Amino acid sequence: MTWDLLSQGPHLLVAGTTGSGKSELLQSLILALASQHSPAALAMALIDFKGGASFGPCPRLPHVLGQVTDLDLGGASRCLDGLHAEVRRRKQVLLTHGVPHLSGLPAGTLPRLLVVIDEFRTLSEELDKRLGSLLRIAAQGRSLGIHLVLATQRPAGAVSAEMRANVTARLCLRVVGVGDSHDVIDSPLAASLSPGRPGRAVLRVGSAPPRLLQCAYADAPERAEKVEVRRAPTWAEMGEPPQAPPPVAGPAPVDSFAGNPASLGGLQESSMEGSGKGSVADSVKDSGKDTAGSPVRSPAVRLVERARQAHSPTLWAPLWLPALPPVIPVTDLPRPTDEALPFALADLPAAQTRQAVTWRPDEGPLAVIGRARSGRTTALVTLAAQALSAQTPSSQALSLRALSLRALSAQKQGGQEPGAQALGSPGLGAPALGAQVPGAQVPNTEGLAPPGRGGGWRVQVLADRRSLPQFERLGPAVTLASSADPVAAASLLTTLGACPLPGPTLLLIDGLEALREVLFLPGADPLAGALGAVGLAVAVTAEGAGLAGMAARFGPRLLLATGDPAADQMLGVPPRLAGLPPTPGRGVWMGAGGPAECQVAAPPGAP
């Protein structure tokens, strides 16, 4: 029996209880299509929510653009985003060529895309808010050349009425109850199929009568290539009269189908419109060895290997990019400019691309929010490294300098330690770690942080003592100090907030809550004054979304992942991006362009 995916589709619903042969049916369908069509004409995406073993060797076919399983819910979400982007892309291609249907495009423009989903119910339960792309495919797939095969144990409650309205073909293997059979094929026949015959199913296309069939088994032992045939002797030659076989007592088998001859007992092929070059259906012979001369594991594996030999890997772009790596060198990002600092890489599966996360200080102060060891400090170090590496032809070249807060404290108390040096004094170069600033020079912002490498940004760092070594790796151009000294911190913030700034200045604060505790002064808030200073850009790290009571003063945010969906949403992560793995530096960028998963780049010299 032949079933045509185009004329009898464009989508297929497969139902069947455990042990009915559902996974084997899907493998046979995929292998049959792959044996008749080249990767240039047919591409596939496999979604396995049954533990990852439903499709056997099929993911190795050159036709397959990607596979995801329920072991990677993030990957499954990315897959649905990728399908959504593919729908939009195909619409644009049809619009560009001025045709309403895929068949009107020039050959080789787009392949037909088959999306096979095993255990659709589990997918719908885990990602129920992300199924919009599948609904669009069900409604528009015929013209776009995208076909769905949805397999589940019980479609009731999982496959919506909107989706069923666009699924014409329904194939039901054995189900437990008559109600389940009626729900799929509007007939009780599937509930009467024998449990001892896996692969026996009932196919119904539209309102046509149901048809009984036996699905092909991809791993069935193959017949011997040479079979000896001889004529059987007649009864007369054997000298024995013919005898009728004894009658069989009892009713006919429950899976016999009245009105359908024995010719319905096997699914011979599954066809699509047009056949690609290099078909491997005829090249699979009954040899007991593969191309390497070693015994093959199964006929299905042999067919996959023949397909890989007959076809080169598909040239079509993947439907979704792989997940972001845990480590991204800062050198992979674009060069910073005098107006923006790229410091992370965002994953945009809905656009099938990746994009640098760039902070523009004119959008407001930046808050990096996350738990300890989530990569908060690394984000500030990367910003500092990008500032150091910026090279622009104008006077806005970035430089990095840090203040010694001990000198500010000494100035506040009216004293000065011997041996103190002015930052940027002629001939002295950059001071070493812990160098002092004379109190008389504190109000002079030119003396505190002179521009480096041709002028431009002045960058100040307030850091916790435990994070100082991370900033120290940036080199001798950095002078570091602890933010635990309330007098020094207040003096710095007051200076930055009150004095006219000769140029754009960047203030990095590592640990906002701790700084607010040591800066508690009745009737004065030097940090609030610094946040509102003209020409001062501020980036901070914090543990909570409240930002020590100053949330309204901040603009874009980087919310670092906790691994707990509920905790992520408390930080402000949208539900669809909550629950990302707690990889250091992995988070959600909340800025211009909408929420996006991202990975903070590792600064130079990071372990």
Side-chain angles (χ1 to χ4, degrees):
M1 188 191 77
T2 299
W3 176 71
D4 193 304
L5 186 60
L6 297 183
S7 63
Q8 298 176 293
H11 312 301
L12 173 66
L13 175 63
V14 179
T17 188
T18 301
S20 62
K22 192 165 66 273
S23 297
E24 287 74 12
L25 182 152
L26 296 179
Q27 290 186 40
S28 297
L29 176 63
I30 293 170
L31 291 171
L33 289 170
S35 70
Q36 299 174 62
H37 305 279
S38 72
L42 173 65
M44 302 184 192
L46 308 181
I47 304 177
D48 181 1
F49 264 58
K50 197 178 177 181
S54 292
F55 300 118
C58 294
R60 298 182 63 241
L61 286 167
H63 307 68
V64 176
L65 300 182
Q67 180 194 24
V68 294
T69 73
D70 55 343
L71 303 179
D72 181 13
L73 290 180
S77 178
R78 295 166 54 79
C79 171
L80 296 180
D81 285 336
L83 291 175
H84 175 65
E86 182 66 13
V87 169
R88 293 203 318 270
R89 185 177 77 92
R90 289 181 175 240
K91 287 181 179 179
Q92 184 61 46
V93 172
L94 293 179
L95 179 63
T96 301
H97 287 79
V99 296
H101 196 279
L102 183 74
S103 60
L105 293 174
T109 304
L110 285 176
R112 291 196 174 272
L113 175 62
L114 180 68
V115 182
V116 186
I117 304 175
D118 196 9
E119 293 303 336
F120 179 75
R121 173 180 290 277
T122 306
L123 173 67
S124 64
E125 291 174 351
E126 296 286 351
L127 301 171
D128 60 322
K129 297 181 180 180
R130 309 299 307 281
L131 297 182
S133 57
L134 294 181
L135 292 175
R136 281 184 285 273
I137 291 175
Q140 306 168 11
R142 183 183 295 274
S143 61
L144 298 177
I146 306 179
H147 308 271
L148 295 175
V149 175
L150 309 177
T152 181
Q153 293 189 25
R154 298 185 64 233
V159 183
S160 65
E162 181 181 358
M163 184 170 290
R164 285 174 184 254
N166 296 283
V167 179
T168 306
R170 296 153 290 164
L171 184 63
C172 190
L173 294 99
R174 180 177 59 86
V175 290
V176 175
V178 173
D180 292 335
S181 179
H182 271 286
D183 181 60
V184 180
I185 58 174
D186 298 322
S187 169
L189 290 173
S192 302
L193 298 178
S194 172
R197 292 179 178 262
R200 189 62 59 91
V202 180
L203 173 66
R204 188 159 198 173
V205 180
S207 58
R211 304 176 66 186
L212 182 70
L213 58 88
Q214 178 66 40
C215 300
Y217 179 35
D219 275 336
E222 299 178 352
R223 297 185 179 93
E225 186 174 357
K226 295 183 179 179
V227 180
E228 295 185 359
V229 180
R230 61 184 179 85
R231 183 180 67 84
T234 65
W235 292 110
E237 292 174 340
M238 296 177 61
E240 298 179 3
Q243 297 181 2
V248 179
V254 294
D255 58 354
S256 62
F257 188 48
N260 286 270
S263 60
L264 296 177
L267 180 60
Q268 297 177 344
E269 64 179 21
S270 181
S271 66
M272 289 182 62
E273 199 174 65
S275 178
K277 296 180 180 180
S279 174
V280 299
D282 297 331
S283 66
V284 182
K285 301 299 182 181
D286 296 311
S287 60
K289 299 179 181 297
D290 60 12
T291 55
S294 58
V296 296
R297 291 178 294 174
S298 71
V301 172
R302 184 186 307 175
L303 184 58
V304 170
E305 293 302 322
R306 296 296 189 273
R308 292 171 64 87
Q309 294 173 14
H311 305 296
S312 59
T314 179
L315 299 179
W316 305 114
L319 297 178
W320 60 92
L321 296 175
L324 290 170
V327 178
I328 297 175
V330 72
T331 53
D332 289 353
L333 300 180
R335 295 298 298 267
T337 68
D338 54 352
E339 297 178 348
L341 294 175
F343 68 101
L345 187 65
D347 179 31
L348 304 174
Q352 297 174 317
T353 187
R354 291 174 178 173
Q355 181 176 312
V357 173
T358 301
W359 173 47
R360 300 178 60 89
D362 57 4
E363 297 173 350
L366 169 65
V368 180
I369 305 174
R371 296 176 176 176
R373 306 184 67 84
S374 62
R376 297 175 304 183
T377 302
T378 300
L380 295 189
V381 175
T382 299
L383 284 171
Q386 288 291 80
L388 280 173
S389 66
Q391 297 288 341
T392 61
S394 68
S395 62
Q396 295 298 313
L398 302 181
S399 64
L400 174 67
R401 300 304 299 270
L403 297 178
S404 170
L405 300 186
R406 290 176 56 193
L408 293 177
S409 177
Q411 182 266 347
K412 185 74 175 181
Q413 297 170 6
Q416 177 178 337
E417 297 186 14
Q421 298 177 347
L423 288 177
S425 297
L428 295 179
L433 182 66
Q436 309 302 311
V437 178
Q441 295 187 12
V442 169
N444 183 356
T445 57
E446 286 293 338
L448 287 175
R453 296 186 190 174
W457 283 84
R458 292 154 170 82
V459 182
Q460 322 296 336
V461 178
L462 285 173
D464 185 270
R465 293 184 185 276
R466 293 171 297 181
S467 63
L468 294 182
Q470 297 191 48
F471 290 93
E472 186 179 9
R473 286 197 298 267
L474 294 174
V478 181
T479 299
L480 302 175
S482 172
S483 58
D485 189 329
V487 177
S491 298
L492 170 63
L493 295 173
T494 300
T495 299
L496 294 175
C499 296
L501 299 174
T505 304
L506 175 62
L507 173 64
L508 304 177
I509 301 175
D510 190 17
L512 178 64
E513 289 92 349
L515 181 63
R516 290 286 285 171
E517 290 180 2
V518 301
L519 284 181
F520 179 75
L521 299 173
D525 193 344
L527 179 56
L531 288 174
V534 177
L536 179 63
V538 183
V540 307
T541 65
E543 293 187 7
L547 294 170
M550 307 184 73
R553 296 178 178 270
F554 287 84
R557 289 165 169 77
L558 174 62
L559 310 177
L560 297 173
T562 66
D564 182 356
D568 285 350
Q569 293 184 54
M570 290 184 65
L571 293 179
V573 176
R576 70 181 184 86
L577 292 174
L580 295 176
T583 304
R586 184 62 54 87
V588 177
W589 172 248
M590 304 291 292
E597 178 184 353
C598 66
Q599 176 68 38
V600 174

